[in-house]
Amino acid sequence: MAPKPQKRKRTKHAKTKMTLPVSEEAEPLNMESMGHPEIYPLVLTTKTQEIFNCRVDEDVTEEQPYKLIKKEDIFVDFANRAAVSDFYPVKKIVQEYPGDELLLVYDRDFKYGLNFYLIGTEEGKENYLNPPELPEEQEEYKDHIPEETYIYRPPISKPWVSLGSEKEIEEESVKESTKQITYMISRKRSEFGAPIKFSDQNASSVKDAYIECTAYSDKNFTLKQLERDVGMQVVPQIKETSTQTRWTHPKNAATQYYPREFLEEEKEALGQSKTLTEFLNSVSTSVEIALQQNEIMNTFIHDWKCLAEEEGTFGDKTDTHLKEYQSFTDLHSLTEKMITCVSWHPVIYGLIAVSVAVRLSFEERVHFSGKLLLQPSLILFWSFSDPIHPQLMLESPDDIFCFQFCPTDPNIIAGGCINGQVVMWDITAHADRIENIKAGGSRSKKVTLKPMFLLEPESNKEAIYIRHCAVSSIESGHRKVITDIHWLPDTFEINRLGNVFENRSGISCQLVTCSADCTICFWDIRPQKALTPQPQAEKKKEESIEIPFDIPSTFLHLDLSWKPLSKIRLSKGETTLDHCPTKLSLSEDNLLFKAQEKILAQSKAVKAGEMNPYQNLENALSNILKPIDDFCTKFFVGTEEGEVIYTDWKMERDPETGRFMAKKPVSLYTVHDGAVHTVQRSPFYKDIILTVGGWNVAIWKEGIMTGPLLQSCCAPKRYTSGHWSLTRPGVFYIGREDGYIDIWDLLEKTHEPAQSQNICITMIMYIKPWTFSAKQQFIAIADYYGTLHILEIPWTLSHPSTNEVSSVSHYFEREVKHLEYVEQRRKIREQEKREMELELEKKKVTDFLIFWLHWIFHALCFHLCQERLVFYQRCQ
């Protein structure tokens, strides 16, 4: 047998790949540079390997990597495939080869760059097949002798390939995140170059030589604070605690029990007793049945509670995350808008209204004021059956920042504009259109809403634009944006002085609004001068005015002449500045959560043919006002500076001027470090209020003047909105500026949110939950980019636990007691501090008297010594 060829070691030169020439005139490539001029690398395709029987891992393997090919077979391949032949690059070598068979070697490790190489000389062929034997001395040191000398090759430049490092560099680089503040200073052209005259003033002519230059707000522009320098100093926190443990005298005691056993005679007598045998036979069947029942069912389960349990539509009881149900976006709007207010329809389920406003600053609004006048300001009505096309569009003179359905008639809507006007709509003529919308197949509360892909929208319907019925007077109303609006309940009404009377109309006829111009206004939609006769000329003038057919005449008497019934300014006391209210909550707000059945009954009565009471508002004005005693006229207000104010809307006469003015606030707390966005009463406890603003949340109890019951720590991002849960008294939802929503559960945690969930990528503007049925609840979340997200509330967040109302009430009572204890300790500490100061003063006086006594004593002693010395001198 022929000896196996010696395996050759791979070198660094084997990694260099060669490109073979394909032209006939070019010289064949060999490995002369590597010291092997007889070797010619080749690339043999699978087809060529099959023709010459040199298939990889079959005909040529790692143990026998060579194949002898006849010269005639290569010439035949040249004749058949010509230049396509894989041996064509070495055609000249094959023709000049002296022998009949050429040696083809399989280059498994690509030592010479390609998968095969051809040995072009007989000497090289013999050296490969019969390698020379090395002497024993050289064989011993063969491994230590390098086979070839390393030849340095300079690096070759190649194009740069990105592996993602530039993204990491971009993320680590520091970029400017805040917008540059632009200041525009203007001056009248006529004042350019005008001479300036300075004059002296006698300081004695002014009282106390002091002239006050009070600050005032410029109505032409507003500045948004983006940066603030704050200095802080860390001081050690001192906490004093005390405890007392009841001590009893220790006493060691030991007790040991001994089993009582029958004697053998007694055991035999009992075993043969006929009475015991009859007893066991009579009760054995009952015991077996009881044991079987215990194994089959739980005897301690509460049947009525299990009967009332209801599973959620999607998910199970362990699911705690809000699930995306639907989303609405106005695709037809040409400008970038944000959602400012959200309200579910009180009667029609699956219908929700949102107000949108242009995302522009004050300076940008002034700059684009001409273009904004050409674009309508709308309130959009969305239905679950059509997520693309709004069902109704309510037009307004300017962007709406708050609105609310009337508690007694859902077809009456009131809204507040950015320019300070109050707008009224009446959609009674379009009530049939929105009531016939398919919201999951039925309007019944007992039916669960279907997913939106199962609903059938009416594609032929076009959106209807509804103009407003009336708008308030610009001169007499608010001067800045209206930030909150509320209907007063139909149980009472107020007069100009804030006194409370029984409602003469039996319907909600009055509104309350707050604005950034530091005022709170009360409005009455009834004609205030109905009892005074009008001149005949004015009557003819009103009759001659043609009313457009698409505008209802319900509130025509208010259009452009509507003035507030009373106006309250929240003064800061000694200064001339006022508080700037952003949100308010009346004492009767919690009743609006429970008025749905009443609204439904009134709407059915109107359908049955009864006259709408809002069509004839003058009739009830002739009734006599009956005052209501013991009515709470105090309410909570949140301000732009983060203050929570508890004040009264009743007017009081100023003893100096004799004018009626608003009362001073009952209490004022600066708890939030930013503008207050939410002031809302709990739907379960009428005296519990939730406030959200800045970076924290607070819960208050009406009547407790020592502070909030709960105040959260600073959140990682600023809070922008909040709302109580409608079914669980201990749960409320808080929206953040980074698109997350914090869900608080007071039964689980009171120091931090129970969970946080991401809803969108931008600021959350408004949160509004709604109960569709006992099985299904939704929450509407509006973001800064104008998208309204409808999410389904899971079972754990919508169904209260056993006695949750009483448990949360006990928690609030404990917090009230804790505040009282803290207040008592504060008073005790102040009393102790005063006593310590008195003791220090007494000690100082005592030390001073002792010092004087010592001084007088020493002075007398000195005087006596001097007299004795003089006496001795005289005696001598």
Side-chain angles (χ1 to χ4, degrees):
M1 293 180 64
K4 294 182 180 180
Q6 184 179 0
K7 295 183 181 179
R8 304 184 181 182
K9 296 183 179 179
R10 289 186 61 189
T11 63
K12 296 182 180 179
H13 304 287
K15 296 183 180 179
T16 306
K17 295 186 178 181
M18 304 296 179
T19 304
L20 297 177
V22 295
S23 62
E24 186 177 358
E25 292 78 13
E27 289 293 329
L29 181 63
N30 63 357
M31 296 291 105
E32 186 176 0
S33 61
M34 298 177 63
H36 298 284
E38 72 279 6
I39 293 177
Y40 297 89
L42 289 174
V43 176
L44 299 187
T45 61
T46 307
K47 182 66 175 177
T48 305
Q49 294 176 17
E50 293 176 358
I51 294 173
F52 291 95
N53 296 325
C54 57
R55 290 169 294 184
V56 176
D57 294 332
E58 293 182 7
D59 301 321
V60 289
T61 60
E62 187 177 3
E63 290 77 17
Q64 188 173 359
Y66 61 89
K67 181 77 174 181
L68 293 173
I69 301 176
K70 293 184 179 181
K71 190 176 179 180
E72 297 176 357
D73 296 337
I74 299 176
F75 287 150
V76 172
D77 188 66
F78 288 159
N80 293 335
R81 297 196 294 172
V84 183
S85 175
D86 294 336
F87 289 91
Y88 192 82
V90 292
K91 180 178 180 181
K92 187 176 180 181
I93 304 300
V94 174
Q95 291 175 349
E96 295 176 357
Y97 189 79
D100 296 332
E101 292 182 341
L102 288 88
L103 182 62
L104 181 68
V105 183
Y106 170 47
D107 193 359
R108 183 182 183 89
D109 299 327
F110 290 84
K111 179 178 179 181
Y112 300 108
L114 303 177
N115 59 349
F116 286 89
Y117 61 87
L118 188 70
I119 298 179
T121 60
E122 285 288 334
E123 183 181 359
K125 173 182 174 182
E126 291 297 326
N127 290 336
Y128 185 88
L129 295 176
N130 302 312
E133 296 181 359
L134 295 175
E136 293 181 359
E137 297 177 357
Q138 296 182 7
E139 188 75 18
E140 185 174 348
Y141 300 101
K142 180 176 64 175
D143 298 333
H144 303 282
I145 300 175
E147 184 175 345
E148 294 177 6
T149 305
Y150 173 76
I151 301 175
Y152 171 77
R153 285 182 174 79
I156 302 174
S157 61
K158 297 180 181 178
W160 181 72
V161 179
S162 174
L163 298 178
S165 59
E166 70 279 6
K167 295 182 180 179
E168 185 177 353
I169 295 173
E170 185 178 358
E171 292 176 356
E172 295 295 333
S173 60
V174 179
K175 296 182 180 179
E176 187 176 1
S177 59
T178 58
K179 292 183 179 180
Q180 296 291 335
I181 302 175
T182 304
Y183 294 97
M184 183 178 68
I185 303 174
S186 60
R187 192 179 186 185
K188 292 183 179 179
R189 182 64 183 87
S190 59
E191 297 179 358
F192 283 1
I196 301 174
K197 296 181 179 180
F198 296 96
S199 60
D200 298 333
Q201 185 174 2
N202 190 3
S204 60
S205 62
V206 183
K207 184 180 179 180
D208 298 331
Y210 172 73
I211 300 177
E212 182 182 6
C213 298
T214 59
Y216 65 94
S217 59
D218 194 344
K219 300 178 182 179
N220 296 326
F221 65 93
T222 57
L223 294 178
K224 183 179 180 182
Q225 184 178 7
L226 299 179
E227 209 172 72
R228 177 186 292 179
D229 291 336
V230 179
M232 294 192 305
Q233 184 176 1
V234 180
V235 296
Q237 184 178 3
I238 301 174
K239 184 177 180 182
E240 181 179 351
T241 58
S242 61
T243 181
Q244 185 175 1
T245 305
R246 183 179 178 183
W247 182 83
T248 57
H249 182 69
K251 183 179 180 181
N252 297 328
T255 305
Q256 186 174 2
Y257 294 90
Y258 294 93
R260 180 184 176 187
E261 297 181 354
F262 289 101
L263 300 176
E264 294 296 330
E265 294 80 10
E266 294 177 347
K267 291 180 181 179
E268 291 179 359
L270 288 174
Q272 298 175 1
S273 174
K274 184 179 180 180
T275 307
L276 180 61
T277 304
E278 292 175 354
F279 170 76
L280 294 177
N281 292 332
S282 62
V283 301
S284 59
T285 306
S286 302
V287 172
E288 290 176 0
I289 294 174
L291 292 174
Q292 291 176 2
Q293 289 178 349
N294 290 339
E295 292 293 328
I296 293 173
M297 61 180 295
N298 185 8
T299 58
F300 301 98
I301 196 169
H302 199 295
D303 296 332
W304 286 105
K305 288 186 177 180
C306 293
L307 188 63
E309 285 184 356
E310 296 174 348
E311 296 291 341
T313 306
F314 299 101
D316 54 5
K317 298 179 183 179
T318 60
D319 192 4
T320 59
H321 287 80
L322 303 174
K323 293 188 177 181
E324 185 82 21
Y325 182 84
Q326 203 165 356
S327 61
F328 301 97
T329 305
D330 187 11
L331 304 177
H332 305 286
S333 178
L334 301 178
T335 57
E336 297 179 350
K337 294 190 176 183
M338 62 180 178
I339 296 178
T340 56
C341 187
V342 178
S343 182
W344 294 86
H345 197 281
V347 178
I348 303 174
Y349 297 92
L351 188 67
I352 187 170
V354 297
S355 60
V356 293
V358 182
R359 299 200 306 265
L360 294 177
S361 62
F362 179 80
E363 291 78 8
E364 292 172 340
R365 280 183 176 273
V366 174
H367 182 70
F368 298 106
S369 58
K371 296 181 180 179
L372 294 178
L373 292 175
L374 303 177
Q375 299 178 3
S377 301
L378 303 172
I379 293 179
L380 307 176
F381 279 72
W382 294 102
S383 173
F384 282 4
S385 63
D386 191 353
I388 299 177
H389 304 92
Q391 304 301 317
L392 294 178
M393 294 185 182
L394 308 186
E395 294 182 343
S396 64
D398 212 333
D399 288 342
I400 296 293
F401 271 71
C402 58
F403 70 94
Q404 194 177 41
F405 289 93
C406 180
T408 53
D409 188 354
N411 296 322
I412 306 298
I413 303 169
C417 293
I418 191 175
N419 61 358
Q421 289 180 295
V422 181
V423 188
M424 299 292 296
W425 293 273
D426 185 3
I427 60 173
T428 306
H430 308 277
D432 294 336
R433 170 188 171 90
I434 58 178
E435 286 179 1
N436 294 330
I437 296 172
K438 298 177 182 179
S442 175
R443 286 181 51 207
S444 175
K445 283 189 177 183
K446 298 180 180 179
V447 179
T448 303
L449 279 180
K450 298 178 181 179
M452 66 177 186
F453 54 82
L454 297 180
L455 303 180
E456 300 176 0
E458 298 182 16
S459 58
N460 297 329
K461 271 191 176 180
E462 295 182 358
I464 296 180
Y465 289 86
I466 302 176
R467 297 178 61 183
H468 55 271
C469 299
V471 63
S472 64
S473 172
I474 298 179
E475 295 81 5
S476 304
H478 293 291
R479 302 304 177 96
K480 291 185 180 181
V481 55
I482 298 177
T483 55
D484 201 6
I485 186 169
H486 290 271
W487 286 90
L488 296 185
D490 57 354
T491 55
F492 69 93
E493 62 178 276
I494 65 172
N495 61 359
R496 296 182 180 275
L497 301 180
N499 298 319
V500 183
F501 302 90
E502 292 183 1
N503 195 329
R504 294 173 289 178
S505 302
I507 56 176
S508 295
C509 297
Q510 292 182 339
L511 295 160
V512 58
T513 58
C514 66
S515 172
D517 61 352
C518 305
T519 59
I520 297 175
C521 294
F522 288 86
W523 308 78
D524 198 326
I525 63 176
R526 295 171 295 189
Q528 298 300 312
K529 298 180 180 180
L531 300 178
T532 59
Q534 288 184 342
Q536 194 70 20
E538 292 185 5
K539 286 186 177 181
K540 290 183 178 180
K541 187 176 180 181
E542 290 182 359
E543 292 176 357
S544 63
I545 299 175
E546 295 184 359
I547 303 173
F549 68 93
D550 58 342
I551 299 179
S553 59
T554 311
F555 305 106
L556 185 62
H557 58 279
L558 301 176
D559 194 21
L560 297 176
S561 61
W562 193 14
K563 299 180 181 180
L565 182 66
S566 64
K567 186 179 291 187
I568 300 173
R569 300 191 70 90
L570 302 177
S571 177
K572 287 190 176 180
E574 298 177 356
T575 63
T576 58
L577 301 178
D578 298 326
H579 296 286
C580 182
T582 55
K583 296 292 178 180
L584 56 88
S585 176
L586 305 177
S587 59
E588 299 293 326
D589 279 353
N590 64 324
L591 298 178
L592 300 180
F593 290 103
K594 306 172 182 179
Q596 299 177 20
E597 299 295 336
K598 187 175 181 180
I599 295 174
L600 191 59
Q602 290 182 356
S603 61
K604 289 181 179 179
V606 172
K607 286 183 182 179
E610 299 180 9
M611 184 177 181
N612 190 350
Y614 286 93
Q615 299 291 340
N616 193 3
L617 295 170
E618 297 87 353
N619 292 341
L621 293 177
S622 59
N623 299 334
I624 301 174
L625 288 172
K626 297 179 181 179
I628 301 177
D629 299 330
D630 300 331
F631 191 90
C632 181
T633 57
K634 298 179 179 63
F635 62 102
F636 280 86
V637 180
T639 67
E640 196 173 18
E641 294 82 11
E643 301 163 330
V644 178
I645 303 174
Y646 187 57
T647 185
D648 197 336
W649 71 54
K650 275 189 177 181
M651 298 287 188
E652 63 178 1
R653 190 181 296 275
D654 190 359
E656 297 180 358
T657 61
R659 296 180 180 180
F660 284 97
M661 300 178 61
K663 293 183 179 181
K664 295 182 180 180
V666 179
S667 60
L668 188 148
Y669 299 95
T670 305
V671 174
H672 303 285
D673 46 8
V676 178
H677 301 286
T678 300
V679 179
Q680 187 190 19
R681 291 181 181 267
S682 171
F684 297 91
Y685 317 100
K686 64 179 182 179
D687 55 348
I688 298 297
I689 296 91
L690 171 68
T691 60
V692 180
W695 277 262
N696 60 350
V697 180
I699 296 178
W700 309 77
K701 184 177 177 64
E702 191 170 11
I704 303 301
M705 304 302 174
T706 54
L709 304 183
L710 172 66
Q711 181 179 354
S712 68
C713 58
C714 290
K717 293 292 182 179
R718 186 166 54 93
Y719 286 144
T720 56
S721 58
H723 204 286
W724 284 101
S725 172
L726 301 181
T727 53
R728 289 197 56 187
V731 175
F732 53 90
Y733 309 94
I734 306 296
R736 301 189 334 205
E737 65 178 353
D738 58 350
Y740 278 79
I741 182 170
D742 290 345
I743 303 175
W744 287 72
D745 190 349
L746 298 180
L747 293 182
E748 184 177 348
K749 296 179 181 179
T750 57
H751 64 286
E752 64 180 1
Q755 63 181 17
S756 297
Q757 183 175 344
N758 179 257
I759 305 299
C760 52
I761 61 173
T762 183
M763 184 193 311
I764 292 177
M765 301 293 296
Y766 210 89
I767 296 177
K768 193 75 172 179
W770 186 251
T771 302
F772 177 75
S773 66
K775 292 183 178 180
Q776 203 168 21
Q777 294 185 21
F778 296 101
I779 182 170
I781 300 176
D783 64 15
Y784 185 70
Y785 288 163
T787 302
L788 180 66
H789 306 268
I790 306 296
L791 296 99
E792 186 175 11
I793 301 176
W795 192 94
T796 54
L797 295 178
S798 59
H799 289 70
S801 59
T802 306
N803 300 326
E804 182 171 347
V805 177
S806 59
S807 299
V808 178
S809 178
H810 291 159
Y811 165 72
F812 290 144
E813 292 175 0
R814 290 196 304 270
E815 292 300 321
V816 170
K817 293 179 180 178
H818 175 70
L819 286 177
E820 293 175 353
Y821 171 76
V822 172
E823 183 65 18
Q824 291 176 1
R825 291 294 303 171
R826 186 183 65 81
K827 293 180 180 179
I828 292 173
R829 294 297 296 171
E830 290 179 354
Q831 182 66 24
E832 291 177 353
K833 186 177 180 180
R834 287 194 294 267
E835 291 177 357
M836 290 177 63
E837 290 176 353
L838 290 175
E839 289 180 359
L840 289 175
E841 290 293 333
K842 290 180 180 179
K843 187 177 181 182
K844 288 181 180 178
V845 172
T846 305
D847 293 342
F848 181 75
L849 292 175
I850 294 173
F851 170 76
W852 275 105
L853 290 175
H854 280 285
W855 187 83
I856 293 171
F857 175 75
H858 288 294
L860 290 174
C861 293
F862 179 74
H863 182 67
L864 291 174
C865 291
Q866 283 185 341
E867 288 183 351
R868 288 183 179 180
L869 182 61
V870 171
F871 177 74
Y872 291 150
Q873 289 177 355
R874 288 179 181 176
C875 291
Q876 291 178 358

